[in-house]
C-alpha cells in the first residue's frame, strides 16, 4: 500500500475524476436508451390510438411491427439499466423506486397490448396508460440529470430532458388532435387540454434552447421552417379556433397525424444530434483528464527529483503569500498573487481553480432543476388539496403567475409555504 502523501492524494483526486467520467459515460448510454424507449413508445401510442379510433380496421399491421421492434428495445433498455446500476452504486432510493415502477409497467405491457388488440381499452385510457409509462421514463432522465456533477454534461442533460419532455407533449397533442378530427366535432374540454399541451411544449422547448449549444439552437430554428411544421401549425389553428361542438373534417385526421409524426421525427433527429454531441464532449473531457493525470504524475516526479534536504519555506504550506484559501473555499485563482508556480502548492491551486469553475458553471443548471422540482411539488399540493388533474394544476399555477405578473417559481414557493403553515 502506498504511503499517504500530498503527491499520492492529488493523483488520487485526478484518478477519481477519470472514474467519475467513466461512470458518467455509462449514465449517458443509459439515458440514450431511455430516450429511444420513449420515442418507440410514442410511436406505439400513436398507432394504437389510430387502431382504436378505426375500431381495429386500420393500422393493425403497422402497430404489430412497432410492438415487435419495441420488444427488442425493451431488452436493450434492461441491459443498459443493468450496466447503469452496476457502475452507479450510489443510485439513490428515489431513482430505484422509479426504476421499479418502470419495470412493472414494462412487465404489464404484454397483457395491456392484448387488451388494445381486442378493442377492450377505451381510447382515452389507452392514451393515459402509455403516457404514464412514458412520463415515468422521462422522470428517470430528470433524476439522473439532477445527480450529475459535471457542468458541461449537466447542461446537455438539462437540454435533453426538456427536449424529450417537450416532444412528449407534442406526442400527446398528436393523439388528442387525431381523436378530435376523427370524432368529427370539437369538444371544449379537449380543446382546453390541447391549449395546455401547447403551452407546456413552448415552455420546455424554450428551456432546451436556453441550455443547448449554438449548433442545437440552429438545428431547432431549421425545423421551424419545414413544411411539416407549417402544416401542423395550420391544422393546430383549426383546432384551437373551433367553437364547442363545431364540426371538424374527419378527412383532416390523416393529414394531421402525418404532419405531427414528421414533426416528431424532426425533433428526434435533434435529440440524436444532442446525444452525439454529449458523447463527443465526454470523450474529450476523458482524454483531457487522462492527459492531466499523466502530466501531473510527470511534474510531481520532476519536483521530487529537484528536492533538496533543506526545506524552502517559500514553496510550502506556511508561505502566507500563497492564497491557500482557494483550496477549500473554491475561490477563483488570483493571477496577480506572486508565488512559486513550480511547486505542489501550484498544482493544488490549479486543481482548486478547476473545481471552482465547475461549481460556477453547474450552478445555473442546478437552479433550473431545483425550480422544476419546486414547481412539481406545488402542482402535487394543488392536485391533492383541490382534486385537480396535473394539467389543471399547472394551468392554475401559470394563470396565477400571469395575472400577478410574477414568475412561476415564485407562485410555486408561495403555495409550498402556505401548505407548510397549514393554510
Amino acid at each position: 500500500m502506498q504511503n499517504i502523501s500530498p503527491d499520492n492524494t492529488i493523483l488520487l483526486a485526478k484518478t477519481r475524476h477519470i472514474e467519475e467520467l467513466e461512470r458518467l459515460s455509462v449514465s449517458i448510454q443509459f439515458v440514450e436508451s431511455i430516450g429511444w424507449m420513449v420515442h418507440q413508445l410514442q410511436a406505439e401510442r400513436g398507432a394504437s390510438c389510430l387502431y382504436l379510433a378505426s375500431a381495429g380496421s386500420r393500422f393493425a399491421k403497422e402497430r404489430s411491427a412497432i410492438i415487435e421492434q419495441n420488444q427488442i428495445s425493451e431488452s436493450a433498455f434492461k441491459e443498459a439499466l443493468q450496466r447503469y446500476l452496476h457502475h452507479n452504486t450510489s443510485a439513490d432510493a428515489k431513482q430505484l423506486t422509479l426504476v421499479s415502477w418502470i419495470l412493472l409497467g414494462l412487465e404489464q405491457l404484454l397483457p395491456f397490448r392484448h387488451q388494445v388488440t381486442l378493442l377492450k381499452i377505451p381510447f382515452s385510457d389507452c392514451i393515459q396508460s402509455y403516457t404514464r409509462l412514458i412520463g415515468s421514463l422521462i422522470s428517470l432522465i430528470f433524476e439522473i440529470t439532477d445527480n450529475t456533477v459535471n457542468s458541461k454534461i449537466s447542461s446537455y442533460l438539462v437540454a435533453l430532458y426538456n427536449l424529450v419532455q417537450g416532444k412528449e407533449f407534442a406526442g400527446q397533442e398528436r393523439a388528442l388532435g387525431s381523436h378530435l378530427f376523427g370524432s368529427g366535432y370539437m369538444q371544449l374540454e379537449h380543446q382546453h387540454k390541447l391549449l395546455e399541451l401547447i403551452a407546456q411544449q413552448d415552455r420546455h422547448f424554450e428551456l432546451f434552447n436556453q441550455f443547448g449549444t449554438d449548433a442545437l439552437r440552429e438545428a431547432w430554428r431549421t425545423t421551424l421552417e419545414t413544411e411539416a411544421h407549417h402544416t401542423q401549425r395550420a391544422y393546430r389553428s383549426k383546432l384551437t379556433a373551433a367553437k364547442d361542438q363545431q364540426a371538424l373534417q374527419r378527412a383532416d385526421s390523416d393529414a394531421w397525424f402525418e404532419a405531427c409524426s414528421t414533426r416528431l421525427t424532426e425533433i428526434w433527429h435533434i435529440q440524436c444530434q444532442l446525444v452525439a454531441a454529449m458523447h463527443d464532449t465526454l470523450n474529450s473531457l476523458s482524454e483531457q483528464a487522462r492527459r492531466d493525470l499523466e502530466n501531473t504524475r510527470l511534474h510531481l516526479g520532476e519536483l521530487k527529483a529537484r528536492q533538496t534536504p533543506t526545506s524552502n519555506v517559500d514553496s510550502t504550506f506556511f508561505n502566507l503569500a500563497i492564497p491557500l484559501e482557494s483550496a477549500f473555499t473554491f475561490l477563483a485563482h488570483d493571477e496577480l498573487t506572486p508565488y512559486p508556480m513550480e511547486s505542489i502548492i501550484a498544482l493544488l491551486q490549479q486543481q482548486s481553480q478547476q473545481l471552482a469553475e465547475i461549481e460556477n458553471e453547474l450552478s445555473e443548471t442546478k437552479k433550473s432543476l431545483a425550480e422544476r422540482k419546486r414547481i412539481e411539488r406545488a402542482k402535487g399540493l394543488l392536485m391533492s388539496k383541490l382534486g385537480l388533474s396535473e394539467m389543471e394544476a399547472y394551468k392554475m399555477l401559470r394563470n396565477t403567475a400571469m395575472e400577478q405578473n410574477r414568475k412561476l417559481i415564485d407562485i410555486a414557493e408561495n403555495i409550498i409555504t402556505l401548505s407548510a403553515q397549514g393554510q
Side-chain angles (χ1 to χ4, degrees):
M1 182 176 180
Q2 289 183 318
N3 294 328
I4 296 297
S5 69
D7 295 30
N8 290 338
T9 52
I10 192 65
L11 290 173
L12 180 60
K14 293 181 180 296
T15 301
R16 291 285 171 83
H17 178 54
I18 293 172
E19 292 171 352
E20 179 183 280
L21 292 173
E22 290 172 347
R23 287 193 296 272
L24 192 52
S25 177
V26 175
S27 296
I28 291 174
Q29 291 171 20
F30 181 45
V31 167
E32 184 177 8
S33 176
I34 297 172
W36 174 245
M37 274 298 300
V38 168
H39 183 68
Q40 289 296 98
L41 286 170
Q42 287 169 337
E44 183 177 334
R45 177 179 59 194
S48 296
C49 287
L50 289 174
Y51 173 82
L52 288 174
S54 66
S57 63
R58 301 177 60 204
F59 282 90
K61 290 184 178 179
E62 293 88 343
R63 176 173 172 267
S64 295
I66 292 172
I67 290 174
E68 184 178 351
Q69 176 62 49
N70 283 1
Q71 289 171 334
I72 298 173
S73 299
E74 288 164 27
S75 298
F77 168 80
K78 291 177 181 178
E79 290 174 4
L81 171 60
Q82 286 183 327
R83 289 194 299 272
Y84 172 74
L85 294 178
H86 176 73
H87 287 87
N88 290 271
T89 55
S90 60
D92 59 22
K94 189 173 183 180
Q95 279 193 47
L96 294 174
T97 302
L98 186 53
V99 165
S100 296
W101 275 106
I102 291 168
L103 292 175
L104 180 63
L106 292 176
E107 285 182 359
Q108 295 182 356
L109 259 183
L110 183 61
F112 173 77
R113 286 164 171 159
H114 184 60
Q115 291 296 303
V116 173
T117 301
L118 296 177
L119 303 176
K120 291 185 177 181
I121 300 291
F123 184 91
S124 59
D125 289 355
C126 179
I127 293 178
Q128 291 180 33
S129 298
Y130 277 109
T131 298
R132 172 177 289 193
L133 179 55
I134 291 169
S136 298
L137 287 162
I138 295 174
S139 293
L140 186 55
I141 294 178
F142 178 86
E143 293 303 325
I144 294 172
T145 301
D146 194 32
N147 286 281
T148 300
V149 296
N150 182 278
S151 58
K152 290 183 173 60
I153 300 302
S154 182
S155 293
Y156 272 117
L157 285 172
V158 171
L160 177 65
Y161 162 74
N162 282 288
L163 183 66
V164 174
Q165 184 65 82
K167 178 170 172 281
E168 165 56 8
F169 288 128
Q172 292 180 38
E173 181 188 7
R174 176 180 66 176
L176 184 58
S178 295
H179 174 67
L180 286 170
F181 279 123
S183 68
Y185 67 97
M186 173 53 65
Q187 302 163 58
L188 193 59
E189 177 186 356
H190 291 327
Q191 187 182 59
H192 287 165
K193 185 173 182 180
L194 183 71
L195 290 169
E196 288 302 318
L197 288 171
I198 293 170
Q200 292 273 35
Q201 288 175 65
D202 291 343
R203 172 171 167 257
H204 284 286
F205 290 144
E206 180 182 350
L207 286 168
F208 158 74
N209 279 282
Q210 178 183 336
F211 287 96
T213 62
D214 289 341
L216 291 170
R217 282 188 284 271
E218 179 58 33
W220 178 259
R221 284 192 292 269
T222 300
T223 67
L224 300 181
E225 301 302 324
T226 63
E227 181 180 353
H229 175 75
H230 292 305
T231 300
Q232 190 256 353
R233 290 305 165 99
Y235 282 107
R236 175 193 279 182
S237 295
K238 289 185 179 182
L239 293 173
T240 55
K243 304 295 183 182
D244 189 28
Q245 302 301 311
Q246 179 178 326
L248 298 172
Q249 295 295 322
R250 285 190 171 90
D252 288 342
S253 180
D254 286 351
W256 160 263
F257 188 85
E258 183 179 352
C260 288
S261 298
T262 302
R263 175 72 177 145
L264 289 170
T265 300
E266 291 170 350
I267 298 173
W268 166 251
H269 289 155
I270 295 177
Q271 184 176 329
C272 293
Q273 180 180 339
L274 192 162
V275 170
M278 188 160 45
H279 280 302
D280 290 343
T281 298
L282 184 57
N283 289 336
S284 177
L285 289 171
S286 297
E287 291 175 7
Q288 181 182 342
R290 291 187 179 90
R291 287 195 303 269
D292 185 33
L293 173 62
E294 187 58 30
N295 290 337
T296 300
R297 184 179 283 114
L298 292 172
H299 191 53
L300 286 171
E302 293 171 0
L303 290 175
K304 189 172 183 179
R306 292 201 300 268
Q307 283 181 348
T308 61
T310 304
S311 177
N312 182 359
V313 75
D314 290 338
S315 62
T316 66
F317 181 94
F318 296 102
N319 178 357
L320 301 183
I322 299 173
L324 183 65
E325 291 81 7
S326 64
F328 51 82
T329 58
F330 302 109
L331 300 174
H333 172 64
D334 186 354
E335 297 290 349
L336 301 178
T337 303
Y339 61 86
M341 292 301 295
E342 302 229 349
S343 67
I344 191 170
I345 289 287
L347 290 173
L348 291 171
Q349 289 287 345
Q350 182 187 57
Q351 179 83 349
S352 298
Q353 183 184 3
Q354 291 173 348
L355 292 172
E357 291 169 353
I358 290 173
E359 193 82 3
N360 290 335
E361 291 173 356
L362 196 57
S363 61
E364 185 178 357
T365 57
K366 289 297 182 183
K367 179 183 177 182
S368 172
L369 295 171
E371 287 185 357
R372 187 263 186 184
K373 287 194 287 187
R374 300 298 280 177
I375 291 170
E376 290 299 309
R377 171 64 177 155
K379 275 172 36 180
L381 290 170
L382 291 174
M383 291 165 66
S384 175
K385 291 188 175 183
L386 302 179
L388 303 177
S389 68
E390 182 178 1
M391 198 66 72
E392 289 169 339
Y394 177 75
K395 181 180 180 181
M396 178 177 286
L397 281 171
R398 187 169 59 87
N399 288 347
T400 304
M402 292 174 63
E403 290 169 3
Q404 299 182 10
N405 194 25
R406 298 169 65 191
K407 293 181 179 179
L408 194 65
I409 181 61
D410 294 335
I411 302 300
E413 291 291 358
N414 281 353
I415 291 172
I416 294 170
T417 300
L418 291 173
S419 177
Q421 293 172 350
Q423 299 182 24

